[in-house]
Amino acid sequence: DTAVSQTPKYLVTQMGNDKSIKCEQNLGHDTMYWYKQDSKKFLKIMFSYNNKELIINETVPNRFSPKSPDKAHLNLHINSLELGDSAVYFCASSPAWRGYEQYFGPGTRLTVT
Amino acid sequence: SQQGEEDPQALSIQEGENATMNCSYKTSINNLQWYRQNSGRGLVHLILIRSNEREKHSGRLRVTLDTSKKSSSLLITASRAADTASYFCATDAAGIGGSEKLVFGKGMKLTVNP
């Protein structure tokens, strides 16, 4: 069984569109994250939720909005997509929000044309 | 801001050789973690070493931590072609004046030639 899953795996869309990426974890973890990995492989955190509560909100455009309907799910909605949003987006989870390893999903490669 | 920095940026070795990757960081930490990323895949956690630990082993992996030098090293012994991947160190400085998030280094590309 996949521990952290993301859909879709690939997303190709045009500038100005709105899209969502979904993430689910079946590990029973309390904390979930969204990361963005750019073309140089630099991995930067965007958001983190602990027990459905937003605890990390990095400096990202407010076109990005996370939503956590329950502890096992964390979705990312992106409005008015721009070329610079092209990247690989990773969801991750950890047992708690401090001091633990993180388990990553397979990534969603977003290409904005 | 960037915390961990891996060195070297890229390493190419022959199968069977050992590979050593280094990570330097700037602030005090709770723990330091190493992750592996195969091409086109998500990151996989390898080892977590806490600030009061000096060395940790997991299979063919050995991690050391020197908090006085703010550095860590990851040693992969008897490397295999399947070890070809990018390796990242990440530092956790939550609650001790550092960021409340895990901060990843830029990564290091290891190529193991068969």
Side-chain angles (χ1 to χ4, degrees):
Chain A
D1 279 345
T2 305
V4 182
S5 59
Q6 293 177 230
T7 54
K9 188 165 173 60
Y10 299 97
L11 191 49
V12 181
T13 188
Q14 291 185 325
M15 283 175 58
N17 284 349
D18 303 340
K19 290 292 177 186
S20 291
I21 307 172
K22 294 187 175 182
C23 177
E24 177 181 0
Q25 55 98 359
N26 63 5
L27 298 167
H29 288 169
D30 284 349
T31 312
M32 296 185 74
Y33 311 82
W34 277 112
Y35 286 89
K36 179 181 179 181
Q37 187 173 46
D38 63 22
S39 58
K40 296 184 179 178
K41 297 272 187 129
F42 178 44
L43 195 70
K44 189 165 189 278
I45 192 165
M46 300 173 71
F47 303 103
S48 177
Y49 273 75
N50 185 58
N51 281 317
K52 300 195 300 174
E53 188 179 327
L54 182 66
I55 55 170
I56 294 176
N57 186 352
E58 287 294 286
T59 310
V60 297
N62 56 15
R63 298 182 294 103
F64 289 79
S65 53
K67 278 209 174 92
S68 181
D70 54 59
K71 269 181 23 172
H73 296 86
L74 180 61
N75 303 322
L76 183 66
H77 187 76
I78 316 170
N79 289 328
S80 303
L81 278 155
E82 300 177 358
L83 292 176
D85 298 331
S86 295
V88 182
Y89 292 84
F90 287 100
C91 176
S93 73
S94 64
W97 73 289
R98 282 184 178 180
Y100 291 89
E101 67 279 10
Q102 295 184 12
Y103 295 78
F104 282 75
T108 295
R109 181 173 292 278
L110 172 64
T111 303
V112 183
T113 62
Chain B
S1 63
Q2 199 67 23
Q3 170 75 312
E5 187 116 1
E6 296 87 352
D7 170 61
Q9 298 273 292
L11 182 63
S12 181
I13 59 174
Q14 295 299 123
E15 213 166 19
E17 292 181 340
N18 295 342
T20 299
M21 289 160 268
N22 302 302
C23 172
S24 58
Y25 57 93
K26 295 175 183 169
T27 66
S28 296
I29 59 172
N30 291 314
N31 66 67
L32 185 144
Q33 304 180 30
W34 284 92
Y35 289 80
R36 183 188 75 231
Q37 184 179 31
N38 291 89
S39 182
R41 311 287 287 271
L43 279 75
V44 174
H45 178 260
L46 297 176
I47 288 185
L48 182 154
I49 185 164
R50 302 197 186 279
S51 60
N52 60 353
E53 298 175 308
R54 291 296 165 256
E55 189 170 309
K56 234 176 165 176
H57 297 255
S58 176
R60 294 182 296 111
L61 306 181
R62 174 178 164 247
V63 166
T64 60
L65 179 64
D66 187 334
T67 52
S68 66
K69 294 180 179 177
K70 291 187 170 56
S71 68
S72 173
S73 67
L74 170 67
L75 168 68
I76 303 175
T77 59
S79 63
R80 304 167 183 168
D83 294 327
T84 294
S86 292
Y87 290 81
F88 294 84
C89 69
T91 51
D92 178 350
I96 53 172
S99 170
E100 295 287 333
K101 61 194 177 191
L102 198 61
V103 178
F104 285 81
K106 294 177 185 176
M108 195 222 77
K109 174 69 180 165
L110 172 67
T111 303
V112 181
N113 301 299

